[in-house]
Amino acid sequence: VNGVYRNGDESVKEIHFPANVAYSGTDGSFSIDNEMSLHGVTTVVAFDKKSFTLRFKDNLDGALHYDVFEDGEVEVFRSLLLRTAHESTWSTQLHDSLMSEIAMQGGNTLVVQKYKYVALYLNGEYWGLYAIREQHTAEHFASYYNVPADTVSMVRYSSDENNSLNKFYNFCENNSLSSKENYEYAKTVLNMESFADWIILQAYIKNIDIYENVRFYQSGADGQWYLALSDLDMGFMSTGSGFSELQSTFHHGLMVRSLMSNTEFQELLARRLNFWLSGPLSDENMLKTIDEMAAHIANEAVYEQQRWHTPVSGWEAVVKDMKRYCTGHAERMRNDFCLVMNWSRDQLDACGEE
């Protein structure tokens, strides 16, 4: 990768080069020629340890046929990511993968990227701890929602997109969703359960880097837009109100504010919140899942820190910080919801679960 692996502007991502990727694990092995490029924004511009996109092209060895994530669900891939995380001074390498794991525990309302931790050797040199991740593409959505890929649209929300999502955004700028008629229109555009769950998970981690890290998917099968999780590295840090901060985020905040003004959506959000906080986002489950995932990568984290000249104690400290953040956080979420929505705790508890 001489001439490509360098800090600079994002234009280096446009340089695609032929490569071979070989995998070996307890589940088997593969070796396949592919097209490779740098991936991400901050990692491309500012960090020595970078992420990669792998594209399995017909003019090389074709699609990758392998059960990468060992669950038998998807076994054909046109692209994958080799992703590293940059969360703060020291990275747990857990934030993004953890929330994908939690989202999968909660069902299939959100589009997520499965993960598999690996030790990466680049041109034979040890490069550290990475996660193989699915890439957000039309094919990715189609694989899990059983629709043809050519019917799928994926957008990072932008106000100049000419689609039903942009029309809805413009509608929210000029109309209130508090009325039943306008909310009925909103339900034809957005999958409300997906949007509610996205709000809850983003509010839980208080993600300070949403902005462009959002993906919307739509298929002609039902016409509704579904939310995807993308790049949650900058969560688990803020001390503010998750629900309040979401309402002020660029672009997406307008839709959040508009929907949260509607009584029916408030009740849906409350039911979904109770579901998540009594199950996947409960203190008990969050701490258990963090412990399991941290134990899985702990040995490799030692070599990772040595490779990039950071202390193992730093990794251990930020994992403990995550656990402190999650301890008692379910109750804080309930209180935050009631405060922002001007609800009583009895109202929230009465909504039960989905």
Side-chain angles (χ1 to χ4, degrees):
V1 293
N2 271 348
V4 175
Y5 200 99
R6 63 180 187 269
N7 292 342
D9 60 45
E10 289 188 66
S11 64
V12 297
K13 292 192 296 184
E14 303 306 315
I15 304 173
H16 296 187
F17 49 92
N20 177 274
V21 60
Y23 165 82
S24 181
T26 56
D27 56 302
S29 62
F30 65 79
S31 176
I32 185 170
D33 288 342
N34 65 95
E35 183 182 88
M36 198 171 185
S37 63
L38 298 184
H39 169 78
V41 177
T42 306
T43 54
V44 168
V45 174
F47 291 98
D48 291 333
K49 188 186 179 196
K50 302 184 187 300
S51 299
F52 303 92
T53 301
L54 309 177
R55 299 177 183 83
F56 306 109
K57 312 281 283 188
D58 287 337
N59 63 334
L60 295 170
D61 282 344
L64 173 64
H65 293 260
Y66 192 82
D67 186 9
V68 174
F69 301 101
E70 301 181 56
D71 58 9
E73 195 167 8
V74 175
E75 299 182 357
V76 181
F77 298 90
R78 284 288 178 181
S79 63
L80 287 169
L81 303 178
L82 285 172
R83 189 177 188 277
T84 186
H86 289 285
E87 300 159 358
S88 59
T89 304
W90 297 298
S91 292
T92 66
Q93 301 289 332
L94 293 174
H95 290 186
D96 193 59
S97 298
L98 169 67
M99 294 313 293
S100 289
E101 175 66 35
I102 294 301
M104 288 186 284
Q105 292 177 12
N108 65 350
T109 58
L110 294 167
V111 187
V112 301
Q113 299 161 283
K114 290 180 181 176
Y115 65 94
K116 183 177 197 172
Y117 288 107
V118 294
L120 177 65
Y121 289 80
L122 191 61
N123 292 341
E125 181 181 351
Y126 180 69
W127 219 250
L129 176 65
Y130 278 73
I132 302 176
R133 304 296 298 270
E134 294 169 297
Q135 186 179 24
H136 278 305
T137 63
E139 290 78 12
H140 172 54
F141 181 86
S143 296
Y144 290 102
Y145 287 79
N146 299 314
V147 295
D150 60 6
T151 70
V152 177
S153 298
M154 185 199 77
V155 299
R156 303 180 182 207
Y157 186 71
S158 172
S159 59
D160 60 0
E161 293 280 352
N162 184 23
N163 53 42
S164 60
L165 188 62
N166 177 56
K167 292 175 183 176
F168 175 64
Y169 179 87
N170 291 334
F171 183 85
C172 290
E173 285 187 311
N174 300 295
N175 298 273
S176 170
L177 295 186
S178 59
S179 73
K180 179 176 176 56
E181 179 182 5
N182 288 349
Y183 185 64
E184 289 300 314
Y185 161 60
K187 289 194 288 187
T188 68
V189 178
L190 290 174
N191 181 288
M192 288 302 168
E193 194 169 271
S194 180
F195 198 71
D197 287 354
W198 179 83
I199 289 174
I200 291 165
L201 267 65
Q202 294 282 0
Y204 182 93
I205 66 171
K206 301 177 186 174
N207 185 7
I208 61 174
D209 189 31
I210 296 177
Y211 306 108
E212 294 184 4
N213 290 321
V214 180
R215 305 291 184 275
F216 290 86
Y217 284 95
Q218 180 200 52
S219 168
D222 66 10
Q224 291 182 321
W225 292 91
Y226 290 76
L227 273 292
L229 296 181
S230 177
D231 191 353
L232 305 180
D233 288 342
M234 300 302 288
F236 299 95
M237 297 180 188
S238 173
T239 58
S241 163
F243 287 109
S244 179
E245 289 174 359
L246 265 176
Q247 295 183 67
S248 61
T249 56
F250 186 58
H251 283 320
H252 323 101
L254 173 62
M255 290 188 286
V256 174
R257 290 194 305 275
S258 298
L259 285 166
M260 288 175 70
S261 72
N262 181 274
T263 302
E264 184 178 338
F265 185 77
Q266 291 175 10
E267 292 173 352
L268 169 65
L269 192 61
R271 291 194 302 272
R272 296 304 295 167
L273 182 66
N274 284 327
F275 162 77
W276 285 101
L277 295 182
S278 64
L281 289 178
S282 67
D283 291 3
E284 179 184 15
N285 188 64
M286 289 296 292
L287 295 173
K288 172 177 174 288
T289 306
I290 291 170
D291 280 341
E292 290 173 348
M293 292 179 66
H296 181 67
I297 65 173
N299 289 339
E300 196 62 40
V302 175
Y303 301 111
E304 158 81 10
Q305 307 311 313
Q306 291 173 350
R307 170 62 182 82
W308 296 103
H309 312 295
T310 55
V312 175
S313 59
W315 178 79
E316 294 169 342
V318 288
V319 172
K320 288 179 182 178
D321 286 344
M322 280 185 74
K323 295 180 68 175
R324 278 194 291 269
Y325 180 98
C326 295
T327 301
H329 198 48
E331 186 64 15
R332 289 192 292 272
M333 281 283 286
R334 293 184 179 96
N335 293 336
D336 183 31
F337 176 87
C338 291
L339 180 64
V340 170
M341 304 303 297
N342 197 26
W343 277 35
S344 70
R345 182 59 180 269
D346 288 343
Q347 281 179 284
L348 176 59
D349 293 343
C351 279
E353 302 175 14
E354 280 289 292

